[in-house]
Amino acid sequence: MHAYPSKLGFDGTYINQKVDSIMEMGIDSLAFPGAQLLVAKNDTVIFHKAYGFHTYDSIQPVALNDLYDLASVTKISGPLPALMKLVDEGKLDLDKPFSTYWEPWRHRKDKKDLTLREILAHQAGLVPYIVFLQKVLRKNGKIKKRFVHRSSDKRYQGQIYDGLYINNRFERKMNRIINRSKVSDEKKYVYSGLTFLIFPSLIEQLTGTNYQTYLDDNFYRPLGCHTLGYLPEENNYVNAIVPTEVDTLFRKTLVKGWVHDENASLKGGVSGNAGLFGTADDLAKLMLFYQNYGDVDGKQLISIKTVKEFTEVQYPENENRRGLGFDKPILDNAELPLEEAYPSPLASPKSFGHSGFTGTFVWADPENKLTFIFLSNRVYPSREHRQLYDLNIRTALQDVFYKAEGLNIQN
């Protein structure tokens, strides 16, 4: 459902002026060549507008149904709903050692006792990231032929880009490196995407179903998310796909239609840490599903109890703001000035979401019934573009809607 902001008590003139000005400033500052913003109140979209172009050559304007590489927003849109459902069904226990379910960790002294709760709250002491690309590139930047071929055969079946195929055994190598990675003795908040690389395999193991099929059948189809998925080039969508980075390291071209994240790319584009593509509309449906605590059209896909548990701060005593998989506001967010806050200081402590490296950001606030979807390709033409963060654009945009509610309606 769509409605004018004024119908739901927002000042539409204020919103348009403020959002237009922040978005234009973002484009002028080269924070991104283009972006779009969708905001819903209750279950009704009150704002959805696109700005700028796919690239700085100003040829293809951003359209409302464009597909974006969601980067780390994948974590809460792919593996997380599946893990929540498995917790609901008693097939996973948050407080049992993860090694109960992931056999290779049973014999790793530093990992055998780590719980899924610690892992999902980024409290387990795992290393933040492993650059697997270093394993397939020589020092001179050339690709190692034993790992990547230009054409596929029975030993190189997984496609990782146009004309690039990975050795079938490379995934085992990745898992082995993850299994052997160091664990810090100090248990504090350190964001780590490592286990998200293995969650799809775990989900397949526990459900006996292909990971992508499981997501489609249990979540995307019931939610009506028709374009949310991996490997968009295979699906022949009519939607244009927004490009990401001009990759000078690995793919030596503008990356478009393939996942930007190199680790997800080396997994053939299907991973739990990145790889999903989707539209703003699809993400709004997913975040509204979370905001309504697992309910879609009166049907409870995940229990209220489980969704509430996943979206609560887990270790506040350790100055860790995270939920289970979900990001949360900074712990003293309401007291902070806008430029230091994350997200808007007016977002409720019950709110939650996630951001993505490519310039994506999704947030749901069950208390204020506000859902916020921001999509951009801030990594174009290069990931060095950090103005999106430096100017705190997403927080400023979100703040507009909290302030606009209940203002004197001018229009």
Side-chain angles (χ1 to χ4, degrees), residues 122-140:
H122 304 282
Q123 184 74 27
L126 295 167
V127 296
Y129 196 83
I130 293 171
V131 183
F132 290 106
L133 189 60
Q134 289 173 348
K135 308 294 173 200
V136 302
L137 292 181
R138 300 188 186 285
K139 287 211 164 60
N140 62 5

Side-chain angles (χ1 to χ4, degrees), residues 5-288:
S6 55
K7 287 269 185 285
L8 286 155
F10 290 79
D11 184 334
T13 308
Y14 173 83
I15 287 171
N16 279 304
Q17 283 171 348
K18 288 284 189 187
V19 172
D20 288 358
S21 128
I22 295 167
M23 285 291 208
E24 280 158 24
M25 180 268 291
I27 291 167
D28 291 346
S29 309
L30 304 185
F32 41 75
Q36 62 176 281
L37 179 62
L38 183 156
V39 178
K41 171 72 177 178
N42 303 329
D43 289 354
T44 303
V45 175
I46 56 165
F47 187 92
H48 190 191
K49 206 165 165 184
Y51 297 82
F53 295 84
H54 280 201
T55 54
Y56 289 111
D57 58 15
S58 304
I59 291 170
Q60 182 154 3
V62 175
L64 296 181
N65 69 340
D66 282 346
L67 282 171
Y68 283 78
D69 177 335
L70 304 180
S72 273
V73 170
T74 297
K75 293 180 172 76
I76 66 163
S77 314
L80 203 64
L83 295 176
M84 290 162 96
K85 189 171 166 61
L86 290 164
V87 166
D88 234 3
E89 293 169 348
K91 292 177 182 167
L92 273 178
D93 186 319
L94 290 165
D95 297 307
K96 275 192 182 160
F98 182 61
S99 61
T100 312
Y101 314 101
W102 192 248
E103 204 263 340
W105 283 21
R106 277 175 215 167
H107 315 292
R108 311 294 314 177
K109 195 158 152 256
D110 56 1
K111 292 193 182 70
K112 66 180 171 51
D113 298 324
L114 300 178
T115 66
L116 189 57
R117 187 183 300 278
E118 290 172 309
I119 289 164
L120 288 174
H122 304 282
Q123 184 74 27
L126 295 167
V127 296
Y129 196 83
I130 293 171
V131 183
F132 290 106
L133 189 60
Q134 289 173 348
K135 308 294 173 200
V136 302
L137 292 181
R138 300 188 186 285
K139 287 211 164 60
N140 62 5
K142 293 269 193 298
I143 289 170
K144 292 179 183 172
K145 297 252 182 8
R146 74 173 187 275
F147 290 135
V148 178
H149 276 191
R150 298 274 172 198
S151 58
S152 69
D153 59 37
K154 67 175 191 293
R155 283 177 53 227
Y156 293 79
Q157 288 176 330
Q159 190 170 6
I160 56 173
Y161 199 70
D162 297 323
L164 293 177
Y165 298 84
I166 192 89
N167 186 311
N168 300 347
R169 294 168 65 178
F170 191 74
E171 183 158 10
R172 291 228 300 276
K173 184 179 175 72
M174 288 175 84
N175 286 347
R176 208 161 50 241
I177 293 168
I178 292 171
N179 296 339
R180 291 175 184 169
S181 64
K182 285 192 166 57
V183 177
S184 167
D185 292 334
E186 196 184 359
K187 297 300 180 212
K188 60 173 190 177
Y189 167 41
V190 177
Y191 180 84
S192 169
L194 269 204
T195 47
F196 284 87
L197 293 161
I198 53 183
F199 284 153
S201 300
L202 175 76
I203 290 158
E204 290 185 349
Q205 174 196 311
L206 293 174
T207 62
T209 310
N210 169 276
Y211 169 63
Q212 293 179 78
T213 307
Y214 186 80
L215 294 180
D216 281 336
D217 291 351
N218 289 286
F219 303 105
Y220 303 159
R221 227 173 283 129
L223 288 168
C225 299
H226 302 300
T227 57
L228 189 59
Y230 293 93
L231 307 169
E233 296 280 9
E234 289 183 5
N235 293 310
N236 304 316
Y237 294 129
V238 296
N239 314 55
I241 301 173
V242 178
T244 50
E245 189 174 19
V246 179
D247 181 356
T248 54
L249 263 186
F250 173 39
R251 292 158 286 203
K252 314 282 191 199
T253 181
L254 174 62
V255 178
K256 183 179 170 180
W258 286 90
V259 61
H260 173 263
D261 178 88
E262 291 89 357
N263 285 353
S265 162
L266 292 169
K267 281 202 164 253
V270 180
S271 180
N273 74 311
L276 276 178
F277 285 73
T279 61
D281 271 328
D282 278 348
L283 286 170
K285 287 170 187 169
L286 180 72
M287 293 312 286
L288 282 167

Side-chain angles (χ1 to χ4, degrees), residues 312-362:
E312 276 167 7
V313 176
Q314 300 294 309
Y315 296 96
E317 69 286 356
N318 276 348
E319 293 181 21
N320 179 347
R321 69 172 191 261
R322 304 296 289 218
L324 295 171
F326 290 104
D327 200 359
K328 298 279 292 174
I330 294 173
L331 293 174
D332 58 351
N333 204 43
E335 279 87 68
L336 295 175
L338 182 62
E339 52 278 9
E340 290 170 29
Y342 175 85
S344 161
L346 298 168
S348 82
K350 284 199 162 68
S351 72
F352 55 87
H354 213 286
S355 61
F357 189 78
T358 49
T360 54
F361 177 79
V362 299

